[in-house]
Amino acid sequence: GSTPTPVATVSQYACKRRTTTQNNNKIFTDAFEVLAESYEFNEIEGRCLAFRRAASVLKSLPWAVQRLEATQDLPCLGGHTKAVIQEILQYGRSFEVEKILSNERYQTLKLFTSVFGVGVKTAEKWYRRGLRSFRDILAEPSIHLTRMQQFGFLHYGDISRAVSEAEARALGNIIDEAVRAITPDAVLALTGGFRRGKEFGHDVDYLLTTPELGKEEALLLSVIDRLKHQSILLYCDYQASTLDMDQLPCRRFEAMDHFAKCFLILRLEAGQVEGDLQRVEGDSRSWRAVRVDLVSPPIDHYAFALLGWSGSRQFERDLRRFARLERKMLLDNHALYDLTKKEFLEAKTEKDIFAHLGLEYIEPWQRNA
Ligand code: DCP
Ligand code: MG
């Protein structure tokens, strides 16, 4: 038969799988992500997660699914997911997915949530008010846009376009230079998708800290200030640290951690990028706007912050789920707490955290779950 024999059983936990950027099952995972998003828009969390898990399992496979039988021993694939796989195997497409893609509500929520600062809740509210386009929103006098949303619309063309690796590298140089000018011994690390080896991203994520505890927030503020004076800071939403160890770690997955951070829009000059800017045809400007996140954890939380911000989202979700269900430990971007020993487990590196969890170390480029 043509059924590939799995080398080892595939784990239900993304943190026990090695997932590179090479996705051999994109045709299926793209379909699953549409379904997951549609359930997310309709607030059916369980089904949304089920499709995200299924997509993640297929992303980890070193082979392409060619027959339904090949998925027999895989975890996280239920009747619905298998029906979609079967449909795609048979017809090359899923009619259920196509129906969603042509659905007005889905299309509108997808469009609205593509704006920086617009989440599902807001998109939904606008949809219910009968708004269907950006023009509708901007022409509606009773709508109050947050500052983030205003800048999201202002730079929509640029920041809805993918950031390339070369652009990320150029931004890294700019931020590194700013940091070095302030203090030579700062720690700056690329995180997010680019640390996992992705070629494109929706933003560029960095961690920034100081070897001396308590100096990290001032450093972040100085870096922002320097970028402002260089006239490359188009937008800055600064959030001060709200770190309070008495409340950590949280049992629930928190959308945001408590570190000092800023969500930026930076101006990147074409001349700073090896090759050229990612641009639409006919655009002759010498610069583009790029979304950048800078996060400043104190050095004693650095390893947890690095692990938490490196992603992927599914990898992070499953790390936490594995810790809780298999180890009776609570993990978040700040700390790891052992519920049995009733103590925090210290870590200087990501490897320390994997070791505490009794997990084989997974390299960043293997975390594209
Ligand atoms: N992260 C998280 N929870 C959040 C925000 C971020 O766990 N609420 C983590 C997981 C992400 C990482 O931080 O992988 C970076 O967030 P991004 O949204 O920038 O995601 P990526 O960098 O992975 O992908 P993209 O290419 O879209 O930027
Ligand atoms: Mg990112």
Side-chain angles (χ1 to χ4, degrees):
S2 61
T3 307
T5 38
V7 184
T9 52
V10 177
S11 172
Q12 62 149 315
Y13 294 108
C15 55
K16 283 174 77 81
R17 305 190 293 256
R18 295 174 199 272
T19 312
T20 66
T21 53
Q22 188 193 323
N23 179 358
N24 298 302
N25 292 286
K26 195 166 184 304
I27 184 166
F28 306 109
T29 60
D30 281 352
F32 289 180
E33 313 238 354
V34 171
L35 286 153
E37 201 162 32
S38 166
Y39 286 121
E40 186 179 5
F41 289 164
N42 293 312
E43 282 161 286
I44 306 172
E45 234 174 280
R47 286 187 170 219
C48 168
L49 206 55
F51 276 104
R52 294 234 154 97
R53 280 201 189 129
S56 181
V57 165
L58 294 192
K59 282 182 192 171
S60 77
L61 301 178
W63 42 273
V65 172
Q66 272 157 354
R67 287 150 40 90
L68 193 61
E69 293 73 50
T71 64
Q72 201 174 295
D73 297 325
L74 297 177
C76 310
L77 301 182
H80 193 174
T81 47
K82 287 193 175 174
V84 175
I85 293 175
Q86 181 56 35
E87 218 185 352
I88 294 172
L89 285 172
Q90 198 168 347
Y91 305 104
R93 50 194 239 225
S94 157
F95 299 97
E96 189 182 356
V97 169
E98 290 193 347
K99 205 171 125 198
I100 293 168
L101 289 174
S102 65
N103 177 274
E104 187 185 30
R105 185 182 137 86
Y106 173 85
Q107 286 176 357
T108 311
L109 294 192
K110 183 88 186 153
L111 177 72
F112 290 175
T113 55
S114 74
V115 179
F116 177 44
V118 181
V120 176
K121 288 259 145 60
T122 304
E124 154 100 297
K125 196 175 71 193
W126 291 345
Y127 183 81
R128 267 188 279 116
R129 292 175 60 168
L131 308 173
R132 295 291 180 270
S133 66
F134 290 166
R135 191 191 298 188
D136 288 351
I137 294 165
L138 298 172
E140 177 57 54
S142 66
I143 281 189
H144 174 78
L145 296 178
T146 63
R147 212 175 85 88
M148 192 183 259
Q149 290 162 354
Q150 287 172 27
F151 281 81
F153 278 112
L154 185 62
H155 297 291
Y156 184 79
D158 277 354
I159 60 185
S160 64
R161 196 153 1 101
V163 181
S164 72
E165 226 183 304
E167 288 171 335
R169 232 176 302 123
L171 279 161
N173 293 337
I174 292 166
I175 294 164
D176 190 66
E177 195 239 29
V179 171
R180 298 302 146 211
I182 295 156
T183 168
D185 62 354
V187 182
L188 177 70
L190 178 68
T191 63
F194 287 108
R195 181 166 185 241
R196 302 195 307 273
K198 274 176 59 176
E199 279 179 65
F200 293 97
H202 96 281
D203 67 359
V204 196
D205 309 285
Y206 291 95
L207 285 195
L208 175 62
T209 191
T210 50
E212 194 183 338
L213 195 62
K215 294 269 156 81
E216 64 284 342
E217 198 160 5
L219 173 62
L220 178 61
L221 286 165
S222 303
V223 170
I224 296 170
D225 210 45
R226 195 178 159 88
L227 297 173
K228 195 184 291 169
H229 280 104
Q230 292 176 321
S231 303
I232 57 174
L233 194 68
L234 297 172
Y235 171 84
C236 175
D237 173 17
Y238 175 76
Q239 302 195 349
S241 168
T242 52
L243 198 59
D244 176 2
M245 279 309 284
D246 297 341
Q247 293 176 15
L248 298 174
C250 202
R251 225 166 244 276
R252 274 182 48 81
F253 175 80
E254 282 188 276
M256 257 316 147
D257 58 48
H258 298 273
F259 302 127
K261 61 174 74 66
C262 57
F263 307 109
L264 308 175
I265 302 176
L266 296 186
R267 178 185 165 112
L268 181 64
E269 299 292 334
Q272 296 171 310
V273 183
E274 199 182 313
D276 195 8
L277 297 172
Q278 292 290 114
R279 52 170 104 235
V280 282
E281 234 177 75
D283 181 355
S284 59
R285 285 175 314 153
S286 68
W287 64 279
R288 70 164 286 188
V290 184
R291 275 271 303 114
V292 173
D293 289 343
L294 289 181
V295 186
S296 261
I299 191 76
D300 57 340
H301 294 263
Y302 179 76
F304 295 102
L306 181 62
L307 182 61
W309 275 86
S310 293
S312 69
R313 267 159 215 277
Q314 198 55 39
F315 191 87
E316 302 296 334
R317 269 190 208 114
D318 278 3
L319 266 176
R320 291 168 161 90
R321 190 164 64 97
F322 176 85
R324 200 176 63 240
L325 300 180
E326 306 292 333
R327 299 291 185 254
K328 297 201 175 9
M329 293 179 186
L330 300 178
L331 174 71
D332 63 18
N333 284 4
H334 318 90
L336 179 63
Y337 184 78
D338 188 322
L339 287 164
T340 315
K341 293 188 190 161
K342 296 194 170 56
E343 63 181 26
F344 285 100
L345 304 176
E346 304 296 313
K348 282 206 158 53
T349 64
E350 289 180 318
K351 287 199 171 110
D352 294 342
I353 304 171
F354 281 91
H356 283 316
L357 291 169
L359 283 170
E360 275 179 48
Y361 181 66
I362 309 285
E363 298 285 352
W365 49 272
Q366 299 171 325
R367 298 181 202 161
N368 288 286

